[in-house]
Amino acid sequence: MIDICRAAKEAAAELRVLRTEVKDTALNAMADALETHRERLIEANAVDVEKARAAGVSATLVDRLTLTDSRIAGMVRAIRVITGLPDPVGLGVGRQERPNGLVIEQVREPLGVVAVIYEARPNVTADVAALCLKSGNAAVLRGSSIAYHSNAAIIEVLQEALAGVEGVPDNAVQLIHDVSREAALELLRAKGYIDLLVPRGGPELIRTVEENATVPTVIDGDGNCHTYVDATADREMATAIVVNAKTSRPSVCNAMETLLVHRDLAEEWLPGALDELKGLGVEVRGCERVRAVWPAAVPAEEKDWGTEYLDLILAVKVVDDLDEAITHIGRWGTMNADGIVARDIAVAQRFTRAVSTGSVFVNTSTRYSDGGEFGYGVEIGVSTQKLHSRGPMGLESLTSVKNVVWGNGQVRVL
Amino acid sequence: MIDICRAAKEAAAELRVLRTEVKDTALNAMADALETHRERLIEANAVDVEKARAAGVSATLVDRLTLTDSRIAGMVRAIRVITGLPDPVGLGVGRQERPNGLVIEQVREPLGVVAVIYEARPNVTADVAALCLKSGNAAVLRGSSIAYHSNAAIIEVLQEALAGVEGVPDNAVQLIHDVSREAALELLRAKGYIDLLVPRGGPELIRTVEENATVPTVIDGDGNCHTYVDATADREMATAIVVNAKTSRPSVCNAMETLLVHRDLAEEWLPGALDELKGLGVEVRGCERVRAVWPAAVPAEEKDWGTEYLDLILAVKVVDDLDEAITHIGRWGTMNADGIVARDIAVAQRFTRAVSTGSVFVNTSTRYSDGGEFGYGVEIGVSTQKLHSRGPMGLESLTSVKNVVWGNGQVRVL
């Protein structure tokens, strides 16, 4: 493990000074190679899929694992988008001239070595490789054992492509072939080698990382997402947004888990909206005030407010006002994505300011919390922490801002 | 401890939506109160100073601990500077309109609850209180037991001042009166309450934090600072900068600890510079090539390259070229502050890009790595990590950037 990390650190020293044109050439070569070797990838993937089926893995997981022509096309498309994005390295985010003539620039630079631990979806392998290369970082990838052959084939194809591009260091992108837990723990403790580790996975992975990591991490955590429908909301819009946020893809982290409704809408709007959700197969768990206007609701218990169902289940609560909604989200939310539906500007502005969430949505669905939808091509993860980066993480999240101070001989008296 | 943290979290919810004019009024009241109660502060401080002297504490530490009229004036001045700085909360750092009409704003918001663990200097108490208030954060302060009476008096004065300003919550600024190690450990583990903890202290404190903290931290770590003098350097400027970086205040984290010199300057420039440093009391520890041109140097051992002396001692190494300097800094540096003296633009630019240091100085002294010198008034700490913030941390480092997405009914199809 340390050999892989050391090789990555050496590669990172070269990658951080690589010109954008070289990186873009490399990205194009990566995309071309994935297209060319589509069959090779699908063959390797078939081994994983067969083993997974034989092992009785769930149909959902097998589906996520499976590579098809269209999914490979999606990986290629993501790399092309990333190629077209501006290089964040060297970008200035601030500049000032001090009274003594010093010029202080704040400039983005690569982090160095970025490691990602992820689950069954093989496309993450290509996504992370591309994001890291464009942002001048060396990538260390640790995929799931279930996707081992797929990931190995993707990395092989990408490494072959990179070997043909002058200036790109060997080991710019590496896969950890040892998929044991011990190897993962070693990676978590490779302090001094890893500049950022992003765990993409379930609560168990997150807990392991939080308990064991000595390397800097950004947590891609739970999404207990809320939508608050204010008294001033456009009713039709509110229904459409709530239905979309709950039902368009209930298994993902940006799906709504709790609906908060202003009491003025409890009788007028809520029953109709819940009827529609029920018609789409949603089980509703409501507070007493919800059950008073829509008796079909299952009684909500306290634990419902803290649960990320990732399923067609919705907790619903009637609140007295905006402040109660804000307090509820502050108590139960996971800082991933929360939204409001409201016509009143003051209400919306107060919500966006008072809710301490990474991505706050006004009059639209929390389902838009996504690197692609944010224009980042893909994401390296969705941060649910406050430091460094919040929400979908694209190229900028893979850089840090250094100070570059230009003088002409100034020395400090005190 | 949890009571203090809970109270801070409640205060933070109010502080995050506080208008700038209220915060500035409160800051002015704080500065006025410190001026008014100067004698009360000096009396309380006298108790600490006497106890410290009786306990045989070093003269340097007693000096740091001592409050004088001019030091109180310095605290007041810092608060006035912070009052005059723009409020970072609500500041936009990005905005885009997506093809589907969504507007994505990236907006600074307060972190929430900021905790600082610090050593003997009582001025930190006022500095941190002011920075946190201006940036809309609740402050939890844990000072050294040696400065207990001073800190308690400062906090009392500040809390009295804040109580007179309408809109400022009680508990906006709190001091932890229990200065035991157990209480500090509890603070480190107050996950869910503390949004940022900054430890300001020696290696032992940093190690304790790294080993025990479950709350998010930004490390204010060692400063093993380098200055590289390139072959193209202005010789006179190089001498002045090197002398300043080493001798103007050797005990601080932005003082130079290692001098790297291009071999072309080994015979021509180095001996004269070392003579001058020696004349100012500096002990030189040199590599073989240094000793060849300046035999008075003590032979440097490998551990010298990794030592932060904080004293009038300097490690000196002759390098073949810029790349060797960059590699040396990458291996031994602590990412705090490193500098180059060079006339050649390409050399300077390559150095600023290739060196992975929080603050890089060109043709000036590393001693400028300082919140005051950067225009931040004071600093909450000097970050030596890559994530979230780098170098001197001012108001912006006490905020995080959230995404606010404005729609008009958009829902996501896939």
Side-chain angles (χ1 to χ4, degrees):
Chain A
M1 180 61 61
I2 287 300
D3 288 343
I4 290 177
C5 293
R6 190 174 291 124
K9 195 171 177 177
E10 281 168 21
E14 293 181 56
L15 286 164
R16 66 187 293 115
V17 293
L18 218 56
R19 286 203 309 277
T20 307
E21 56 193 5
V22 177
K23 297 192 280 193
D24 286 348
T25 302
L27 286 164
N28 275 323
M30 286 163 64
D32 293 346
L34 290 178
E35 265 176 345
T36 307
H37 295 288
R38 221 164 34 195
E39 285 182 24
R40 184 169 149 198
L41 301 181
I42 290 179
E43 273 170 33
N45 179 249
V47 179
D48 288 331
V49 170
E50 198 172 322
K51 286 180 83 170
R53 284 217 180 96
V57 163
S58 78
T60 319
L61 208 58
V62 169
D63 175 62
R64 279 196 198 164
L65 175 64
T66 306
L67 280 181
T68 60
D69 272 358
S70 95
R71 283 186 179 172
I72 293 173
M75 286 157 61
V76 170
R77 204 163 44 238
I79 297 178
R80 305 269 189 226
V81 171
I82 292 165
T83 314
L85 291 174
D87 187 342
V89 176
L91 209 73
V93 300
R95 183 186 189 279
Q96 59 167 330
E97 299 188 11
R98 301 294 306 151
N100 60 3
L102 290 180
V103 173
I104 304 183
E105 295 176 339
Q106 295 186 289
V107 184
R108 291 200 178 276
E109 65 165 12
L111 287 171
V113 178
V114 175
V116 181
I117 302 181
Y118 54 105
E119 292 184 337
R121 296 192 314 172
N123 66 298
V124 174
T125 310
D127 292 355
V128 171
L131 282 171
C132 286
L133 186 72
K134 180 82 185 208
S135 55
N137 292 289
V140 174
L141 299 165
R142 202 280 196 179
S144 158
S145 59
I146 208 180
Y148 175 72
H149 296 89
S150 316
N151 291 335
I154 292 169
I155 282 291
E156 221 176 72
V157 167
L158 296 180
Q159 285 177 339
E160 281 168 24
L162 292 176
V165 182
E166 210 186 308
V168 177
D170 298 344
N171 304 318
V173 181
Q174 295 178 91
L175 181 72
I176 295 171
H177 290 272
D178 179 350
V179 289
S180 69
R181 183 178 155 88
E182 289 65 41
L185 287 173
E186 261 190 87
L187 182 64
L188 295 181
R189 294 176 185 138
K191 211 188 143 188
Y193 293 101
I194 305 295
D195 294 293
L196 169 65
L197 180 131
V198 181
R200 290 177 64 159
E204 201 186 329
L205 172 63
I206 302 300
R207 201 163 39 244
T208 302
V209 170
E210 286 181 336
E211 280 168 13
N212 294 285
T214 59
V215 302
T217 58
V218 171
I219 300 296
D220 177 324
D222 292 350
N224 186 18
C225 305
H226 300 73
T227 302
Y228 166 61
V229 180
D230 186 61
T232 69
D234 178 302
R235 276 63 171 154
E236 262 182 63
M237 187 192 287
T239 306
I241 287 172
V242 162
V243 166
N244 183 264
K246 181 67 253 180
T247 67
S248 60
R249 207 168 159 198
S251 66
V252 291
C253 71
N254 56 22
M256 172 177 62
E257 305 291 6
T258 295
L259 171 64
L260 302 169
V261 183
H262 192 283
R263 64 177 175 193
D264 289 359
L265 296 184
E267 293 192 27
E268 175 204 338
W269 171 82
L270 185 59
L274 296 184
D275 286 343
E276 190 161 335
L277 286 164
K278 191 188 173 194
L280 290 162
V282 176
E283 174 188 326
V284 173
R285 302 192 184 170
C287 70
E288 281 311 308
R289 291 159 91 181
V290 170
R291 285 164 45 78
V293 296
W294 202 75
V298 176
E301 296 168 31
E302 182 157 294
K303 76 170 188 326
D304 284 302
W305 311 127
T307 301
E308 186 188 15
Y309 301 115
L310 297 172
D311 202 350
L312 284 174
I313 305 172
L314 180 67
V316 186
K317 183 176 189 177
V318 171
V319 295
D320 279 339
D321 54 18
L322 175 64
D323 280 341
E324 192 184 342
I326 290 168
T327 304
H328 182 98
I329 293 171
R331 172 148 186 219
W332 298 105
T334 54
M335 301 197 294
N336 193 319
D338 295 299
I340 183 174
V341 186
R343 259 204 194 111
D344 188 303
I345 296 175
V347 169
Q349 287 192 330
R350 185 170 156 78
F351 183 86
T352 64
R353 177 107 173 218
V355 163
S356 177
T357 299
S359 303
V360 182
F361 294 82
V362 180
N363 292 335
T364 185
S365 170
T366 54
R367 291 282 343 281
Y368 283 108
S369 173
D370 174 274
E373 297 293 336
F374 273 47
Y376 303 161
V378 290
E379 69 220 5
I380 196 111
V382 178
S383 164
T384 52
Q385 67 182 49
K386 286 186 181 176
L387 298 193
H388 185 64
S389 185
R390 312 192 72 179
M393 297 169 69
L395 292 172
E396 276 197 2
S397 299
L398 297 174
T399 65
S400 71
V401 175
K402 79 197 303 180
N403 303 293
V404 180
V405 184
W406 299 85
N408 46 22
Q410 286 89 339
V411 293
R412 193 169 166 196
V413 180
L414 179 75
Chain B
M1 180 60 62
I2 287 300
D3 288 343
I4 291 177
C5 293
R6 190 174 291 123
K9 196 171 177 175
E10 280 167 21
E14 292 181 56
L15 286 164
R16 65 187 295 117
V17 293
L18 217 55
R19 285 202 312 275
T20 306
E21 56 193 5
V22 178
K23 297 191 280 191
D24 287 346
T25 303
L27 286 164
N28 275 324
M30 286 163 63
D32 293 346
L34 290 178
E35 265 175 346
T36 307
H37 296 287
R38 223 164 30 195
E39 284 181 25
R40 182 167 150 201
L41 301 180
I42 289 178
E43 274 169 33
N45 180 249
V47 179
D48 288 331
V49 170
E50 196 172 323
K51 286 180 83 170
R53 282 218 182 96
V57 163
S58 79
T60 319
L61 208 58
V62 170
D63 175 63
R64 280 195 199 166
L65 175 64
T66 306
L67 279 181
T68 60
D69 273 358
S70 95
R71 282 187 180 171
I72 293 173
M75 286 157 63
V76 170
R77 204 162 44 237
I79 297 177
R80 305 268 189 227
V81 171
I82 292 165
T83 314
L85 292 174
D87 187 342
V89 177
L91 210 72
V93 300
R95 183 185 189 279
Q96 58 165 332
E97 298 187 11
R98 301 294 305 153
N100 60 2
L102 289 181
V103 172
I104 304 184
E105 294 177 341
Q106 295 187 289
V107 184
R108 290 199 180 277
E109 65 165 12
L111 286 172
V113 178
V114 175
V116 181
I117 301 180
Y118 55 104
E119 293 184 337
R121 296 192 313 172
N123 67 297
V124 175
T125 310
D127 292 355
V128 171
L131 282 171
C132 285
L133 187 71
K134 180 80 184 208
S135 54
N137 292 288
V140 174
L141 299 166
R142 201 280 194 180
S144 159
S145 59
I146 208 178
Y148 174 72
H149 297 88
S150 317
N151 291 335
I154 293 170
I155 282 290
E156 222 176 72
V157 167
L158 296 180
Q159 286 176 338
E160 281 166 26
L162 292 176
V165 182
E166 208 186 310
V168 177
D170 299 343
N171 304 318
V173 181
Q174 294 178 93
L175 181 72
I176 296 171
H177 291 272
D178 179 351
V179 288
S180 68
R181 183 180 155 87
E182 289 65 41
L185 287 173
E186 258 189 90
L187 182 64
L188 295 181
R189 294 180 184 134
K191 212 188 141 187
Y193 294 100
I194 305 295
D195 294 294
L196 169 66
L197 179 130
V198 182
R200 289 177 64 158
E204 202 185 329
L205 173 63
I206 302 301
R207 204 166 34 246
T208 302
V209 170
E210 287 181 335
E211 280 168 14
N212 295 285
T214 59
V215 302
T217 59
V218 170
I219 300 295
D220 177 324
D222 293 349
N224 185 18
C225 304
H226 300 74
T227 303
Y228 165 61
V229 180
D230 186 61
T232 68
D234 178 303
R235 274 64 170 156
E236 264 181 62
M237 186 192 286
T239 306
I241 287 170
V242 162
V243 165
N244 182 264
K246 180 69 254 180
T247 67
S248 58
R249 206 169 160 200
S251 66
V252 290
C253 71
N254 56 23
M256 171 176 63
E257 304 291 5
T258 295
L259 171 64
L260 301 169
V261 183
H262 191 283
R263 63 177 176 193
D264 289 359
L265 295 184
E267 292 193 27
E268 175 205 336
W269 172 81
L270 185 58
L274 295 183
D275 286 343
E276 190 161 335
L277 287 164
K278 192 187 172 194
L280 291 161
V282 176
E283 175 189 325
V284 172
R285 302 192 184 170
C287 70
E288 280 310 308
R289 290 158 92 179
V290 170
R291 285 166 42 80
V293 297
W294 202 74
V298 176
E301 294 169 32
E302 181 157 295
K303 77 170 187 327
D304 284 301
W305 311 127
T307 302
E308 185 187 16
Y309 301 113
L310 297 172
D311 202 348
L312 284 173
I313 304 173
L314 179 66
V316 185
K317 184 177 189 177
V318 172
V319 294
D320 280 338
D321 54 20
L322 174 65
D323 280 341
E324 192 183 343
I326 291 167
T327 304
H328 182 98
I329 293 170
R331 172 149 185 218
W332 298 105
T334 54
M335 300 198 293
N336 194 318
D338 296 298
I340 183 173
V341 187
R343 259 204 193 112
D344 187 304
I345 297 175
V347 168
Q349 287 193 329
R350 184 169 157 78
F351 183 86
T352 63
R353 176 106 173 220
V355 163
S356 177
T357 299
S359 302
V360 182
F361 294 82
V362 180
N363 292 333
T364 186
S365 169
T366 53
R367 291 282 342 281
Y368 283 108
S369 172
D370 174 274
E373 297 293 336
F374 273 47
Y376 303 161
V378 290
E379 70 220 5
I380 196 112
V382 178
S383 164
T384 53
Q385 67 183 48
K386 287 186 180 176
L387 298 193
H388 185 63
S389 184
R390 311 192 72 180
M393 296 168 70
L395 293 172
E396 277 198 2
S397 299
L398 297 174
T399 64
S400 72
V401 176
K402 81 197 301 180
N403 303 292
V404 180
V405 184
W406 298 86
N408 46 21
Q410 287 88 340
V411 293
R412 192 169 167 197
V413 180
L414 179 73

